[in-house]
């Protein structure tokens, strides 16, 4: 019995060491840019280079955005040995040269594949080529892999994503693993040790609220996605994030709606992956995307998603516990009309079951910092009355008096 147990034990330990995801790649929600929302399949190496340039020149890199990710449709054919190649017309210099260019700007480089036989755009999927693809990405100096879920009939999601995790690990280069399975098999319940982030929903669209019929599928507006996220907050944390899909800021919604969308993604610890053409941004888009205080709420090291405290007359109240005893508070006016609210802070008496913390407004005084006007607005002992424009937010960091 003892003799049998020992080798089995060694095998168990070594297989555990082998089967893991790369640690410390996403201690705060990943930030970057992805080609899909704006360009879909109409991408090229020139666009990606210009986007990398713009990431630096616009100040987005300094604000914390780091990854440049090429989504679907970069693929050409597999070579005679089965290794995937880039589309030679759109990416004539090859992926390695592009990754090197992105790295030369002090940024990181990401790519896309699919667990099935084909990607959603009909390009070769990784099914049956997982180890080979992971090796190829590592050789190309890729830092981030988004892994989609089209053409996966009869494929088990846990098996498929775990297989790619192990393939990435075996290839040896730390690559952030972004799972894009749309939440179908509830990855938040099983993927904590598989991916660094997992999509929780179908695809987003550049609209505020509702569902858009796209024939064979439905696209979801920002707040329609938000409505499905509150119940998932306990599953996210440093190293493993719920992903309610990429940002639509700058893609057509008015600035107030973009501001609300961005604020709420910050509040719920969503990966902040830009989806607009950052080479040509309106000043108000840039101001939203580069709001360092709102980004700091998203990137807070505690890594706890906001809780939805409640809603009153179409104004929702969300609280996010922050490191050092502060909180972020966001009042979201979903209505098509402006709303005036009166805030008596002691009305908010609750204990957050995830952090175990309560703001204790009856005993603790906090200073108010308005994160969109940048103004100090007194403290939580005072009643405040504010009008929140339609489809906009009032967002504070409340700072504990020492
Ligand atoms: C799926 C994903 C999108 C995008 C497209 C590419 O729909 O959910 O985010 O990657 O595929 O085809």
């Amino acid at each position: 019995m003892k003799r049998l147990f020992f080798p089995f034990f060694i095998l168990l330990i070594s297989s555990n060491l082998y089967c893991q995801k790369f640690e410390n790649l996403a201690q705060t929600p990943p930030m970057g840019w992805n080609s899909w929302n704006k360009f879909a399949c109409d991408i090229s190496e020139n666009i990606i280079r210009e986007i990398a340039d713009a990431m630096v020149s616009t100040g987005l890199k300094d604000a914390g955005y780091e990854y440049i990710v090429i989504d679907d449709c970069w693929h050409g054919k597999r070579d005679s040995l089965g290794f995937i190649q880039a589309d030679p017309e759109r990416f004539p210099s090859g992926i390695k040269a592009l990754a090197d260019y992105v790295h030369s700007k002090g940024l990181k480089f990401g790519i896309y594949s699919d667990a099935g036989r084909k990607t959603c755009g009909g390009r070769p999927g990784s099914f049956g080529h997982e180890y080979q693809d992971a090796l190829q990405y590592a050789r190309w100096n890729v830092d981030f892999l988004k892994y989609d879920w089209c053409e996966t009939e009869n494929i088990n999601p846990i098996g498929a994503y775990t297989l790619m995790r192990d393939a990435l690990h075996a290839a040896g280069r730390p690559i952030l693993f972004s799972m894009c399975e749309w939440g179908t098999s509830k990855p938040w319940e099983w993927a904590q040790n598989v991916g660094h982030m997992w999509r929780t929903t179908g695809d987003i669209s550049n609209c505020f609220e509702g569902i858009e019929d796209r024939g064979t599928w439905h696209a979801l507006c920002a707040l329609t996605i938000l409505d499905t996220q509150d119940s998932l907050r306990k599953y996210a944390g440093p190293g493993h994030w719920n992903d309610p899909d990429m940002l639509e800021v700058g893609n057509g919604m008015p600035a107030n709606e973009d501001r609300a969308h961005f604020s709420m993604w910050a509040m719920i610890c969503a990966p902040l992956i830009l989806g607009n053409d950052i080479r040509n941004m309106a000043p108000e888009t840039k101001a939203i995307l580069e709001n360092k205080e709102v980004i700091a709420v998203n990137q807070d090291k505690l890594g706890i998603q906001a809780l939805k405290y409640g809603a009153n007359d179409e104004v929702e109240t969300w609280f996010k516990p922050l490191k050092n005893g502060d909180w972020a508070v966001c009042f979201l006016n979903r209505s098509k009309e402006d709303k005036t609210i009166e805030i008596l802070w002691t009305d908010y008496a609750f204990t957050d079951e995830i952090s175990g913390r309560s703001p204790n407004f009856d005993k603790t005084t906090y200073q108010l910092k308005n994160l969109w006007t940048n103004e100090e607005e007194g403290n939580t002992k005072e009643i405040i009355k504010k009008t929140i424009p339609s489809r906009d937010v009032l967002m504070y960091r409340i700072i504990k008096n020492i």
Side-chain angles (χ1 to χ4, degrees), residues 13-82:
I13 292 182
S14 55
S15 68
N16 267 345
L17 284 176
Y18 184 68
C19 296
Q20 58 190 16
K21 71 178 191 186
F22 287 103
E23 294 300 338
N24 299 321
L25 292 185
Q27 293 309 103
T28 59
M31 294 175 66
W33 178 90
N34 173 298
S35 55
W36 184 254
N37 283 358
K38 179 69 190 176
F39 296 97
C41 279
D42 200 9
I43 42 165
S44 67
E45 64 179 40
N46 285 344
I47 293 177
I48 302 298
R49 279 169 189 258
E50 287 173 13
I51 291 286
D53 294 345
M55 195 75 130
V56 178
S57 64
T58 55
L60 285 165
K61 174 176 177 247
D62 287 341
Y65 299 92
E66 176 176 38
Y67 292 96
I68 304 273
V69 183
I70 316 181
D71 206 281
D72 206 348
C73 303
W74 59 266
H75 321 67
K77 296 198 169 103
R78 293 190 180 277
D79 69 12
S80 58
L81 295 175

Side-chain angles (χ1 to χ4, degrees), residues 184-304:
T184 319
S185 71
K186 303 189 175 165
W188 46 88
E189 287 181 353
W190 54 264
Q192 184 168 340
N193 296 319
V194 180
H196 300 93
M197 53 194 263
W198 49 77
R199 279 275 294 276
T200 52
T201 71
D203 286 9
I204 195 168
S205 184
N206 58 338
C207 48
F208 195 66
E209 189 150 21
I211 295 178
E212 291 179 348
D213 189 354
R214 301 278 172 89
T216 51
W217 61 285
H218 291 97
L220 308 169
C221 301
L223 291 204
T224 304
I225 289 179
L226 179 70
D227 288 338
T228 61
Q229 300 305 294
D230 188 39
S231 59
L232 304 181
R233 64 186 292 260
K234 68 174 179 211
Y235 298 104
H240 51 96
W241 305 102
N242 289 319
D243 174 11
D245 207 359
M246 303 171 290
L247 293 160
E248 288 284 11
V249 176
N251 281 342
M253 280 188 272
N256 55 310
E257 296 181 12
D258 271 352
R259 191 163 35 246
H261 168 34
F262 190 71
S263 302
M264 292 315 303
W265 260 231
M267 289 292 285
I268 62 171
C269 294
L272 296 180
I273 309 293
L274 310 171
N276 60 318
D277 187 350
I278 60 173
R279 299 170 306 175
N280 304 298
M281 276 189 289
E284 53 271 29
T285 302
K286 185 171 175 309
I288 291 170
L289 296 177
E290 295 186 4
N291 184 323
K292 293 195 176 155
E293 299 265 19
V294 174
I295 292 172
V297 167
N298 174 263
Q299 294 289 302
D300 184 80
K301 295 272 190 302
L302 202 57
I304 296 185

